[in-house]
Amino acid sequence: MDKNNTLASLSGLAQMKKNVSVPARSNLCPVARFGEILAGKWATPVIYRLILADGPVRFNTLQRTLRPISQKELSRHLRHFEALGMVTRQVYAEVPPRVEYLVTDFGRTLREPIEALAHWAEQYFPVSGQVHAATPDQQHALVAAAQGDRA
Amino acid sequence: MDKNNTLASLSGLAQMKKNVSVPARSNLCPVARFGEILAGKWATPVIYRLILADGPVRFNTLQRTLRPISQKELSRHLRHFEALGMVTRQVYAEVPPRVEYLVTDFGRTLREPIEALAHWAEQYFPVSGQVHAATPDQQHALVAAAQGDRA
DNA sequence: CAGTATCCGTGGCGATACTG
DNA sequence: CAGTATCGCCACGGATACTG
């Protein structure tokens, strides 16, 4: 029924309005407020990736590990999280250019609630196909990727 | 989002999922799958209301306690949850007509993950304004409303 | 590599009107 | 009371092209 998600729904939920900025219309229930933060199909996967990485990750690395996210959506969500203070952006004056994203302590606080959701989904809607970083071995793969970025 | 019977326990769940129109494009991460279930601005508030009520609730009662949700969105989400086996719909042949919605055991499984979200939101994005049913006293108010429906 | 700019379809969501 | 029908806006999100 619903085309995308978003928790929004949670995804679908409220929106990160135009670009960036924190929606101020939050006289909603706590759940709805959560949805405002993690609005959009890819919001949760993106921040969760950075949480698991627990270190600087480059743009392309993120895009690869989150495939098939588009560049536009990835950068949009990153700027959103940056505005919320959940992610920091570090630019290195090199060639080729290098930009690294790093989850903040505040961003890390999302780990528990997100994993509660993931656990529920795995329990009641298990899937044989591609899983993004829910299993320990895939988490290791991601950490390895992040360490690759660091090196 | 954006857009479900009897005590559908885990045993009956697998079978039910076949018959029902769950978005089949779920080769996503668990988090994204959660978003597919609770897609839409009002999805989570609606199901959470029914979980807290823990008993039959009438359409109008739901709409009042979820204000300012529109009739269209409320009925849309209710039909969605009904199709997922998370809510049952009971129609009474009376005048004026009476329809009661009741959360199933399967629907109840959402309580924990949802409360994880709510707890996070309250901790980091507290709000002085209207809160929907997150506090104990408001839960009592809701339960009272549901009991009113039962009487 | 790390983005931004642009076009465009789909559909979520609100508002309003109508029905059994 | 409990909905459905219809209209319209615009945000989400994919695809593509371009840039420092």
Side-chain angles (χ1 to χ4, degrees):
Chain A
M1 79 172 277
D2 301 311
K3 171 181 156 190
N4 302 314
N5 328 304
T6 204
L7 285 185
S9 7
L10 311 181
S11 115
L13 316 190
Q15 302 71 12
M16 60 175 91
K17 293 286 182 168
K18 293 274 184 170
N19 274 341
V20 187
S21 86
V22 187
R25 42 94 89 101
S26 293
N27 51 342
L28 294 167
C29 72
V31 164
R33 267 175 283 143
F34 189 93
E36 290 175 18
I37 303 302
L38 268 59
K41 181 178 178 179
W42 292 99
T44 318
V46 166
I47 190 67
Y48 192 48
R49 269 298 212 261
L50 287 164
I51 289 171
L52 290 180
D54 198 42
V57 188
R58 303 183 62 163
F59 188 90
N60 268 4
T61 305
L62 275 174
Q63 191 180 9
R64 275 201 320 275
T65 54
L66 287 168
R67 195 172 24 196
I69 192 176
S70 69
Q71 279 190 335
K72 191 183 79 171
E73 288 304 299
L74 177 55
S75 85
R76 196 180 117 244
H77 282 109
L78 286 172
R79 279 183 280 106
H80 179 221
F81 288 129
E82 199 186 348
L84 283 172
M86 290 179 165
V87 166
T88 60
R89 196 180 105 119
Q90 181 73 260
V91 184
Y92 296 89
E94 302 176 356
V95 355
R98 181 166 56 129
V99 179
E100 287 180 344
Y101 294 89
L102 177 63
V103 65
T104 65
D105 284 348
F106 178 35
R108 272 182 257 268
T109 65
L110 277 172
R111 176 162 197 160
E112 298 300 331
I114 288 178
E115 284 179 346
L117 306 193
H119 182 254
W120 183 91
E122 287 194 326
Q123 190 171 357
Y124 296 102
F125 291 88
V127 157
S128 57
Q130 178 192 17
V131 179
H132 269 320
T135 64
D137 42 306
Q138 296 202 356
Q139 294 184 16
H140 288 134
L142 177 62
V143 170
Q147 287 172 346
D149 286 344
R150 242 163 297 178
Chain B
M1 189 189 339
D2 12 71
K3 340 225 175 251
N4 232 315
N5 326 41
T6 38
L7 307 174
S9 55
L10 296 80
S11 55
L13 185 60
Q15 156 193 45
M16 170 186 63
K17 283 194 319 189
K18 303 269 183 186
N19 305 336
V20 167
S21 66
V22 180
R25 45 94 85 93
S26 291
N27 50 342
L28 294 167
C29 70
V31 164
R33 266 175 283 141
F34 189 93
E36 291 176 15
I37 302 302
L38 267 60
K41 181 178 177 181
W42 292 98
T44 318
V46 165
I47 190 66
Y48 192 48
R49 268 302 213 256
L50 287 164
I51 289 172
L52 291 179
D54 197 42
V57 187
R58 303 183 64 163
F59 187 90
N60 268 4
T61 304
L62 276 173
Q63 191 180 9
R64 276 202 320 275
T65 53
L66 288 167
R67 195 172 26 195
I69 192 175
S70 68
Q71 279 190 335
K72 191 183 80 174
E73 289 303 300
L74 178 54
S75 85
R76 198 183 114 242
H77 283 110
L78 286 173
R79 278 182 280 107
H80 179 223
F81 287 129
E82 199 186 347
L84 285 172
M86 289 178 166
V87 166
T88 59
R89 195 180 104 118
Q90 181 72 260
V91 184
Y92 296 88
E94 303 176 356
V95 357
R98 181 168 55 131
V99 179
E100 288 181 344
Y101 294 89
L102 177 63
V103 65
T104 65
D105 283 349
F106 178 36
R108 270 182 258 267
T109 65
L110 278 171
R111 175 163 197 160
E112 297 301 330
I114 288 177
E115 284 179 346
L117 269 45
H119 182 254
W120 182 91
E122 287 194 327
Q123 190 170 356
Y124 295 101
F125 289 88
V127 158
S128 57
Q130 177 192 20
V131 179
H132 270 321
T135 62
D137 41 306
Q138 295 202 353
Q139 294 183 16
H140 288 136
L142 178 59
V143 170
Q147 287 173 343
D149 285 346
R150 241 162 298 178

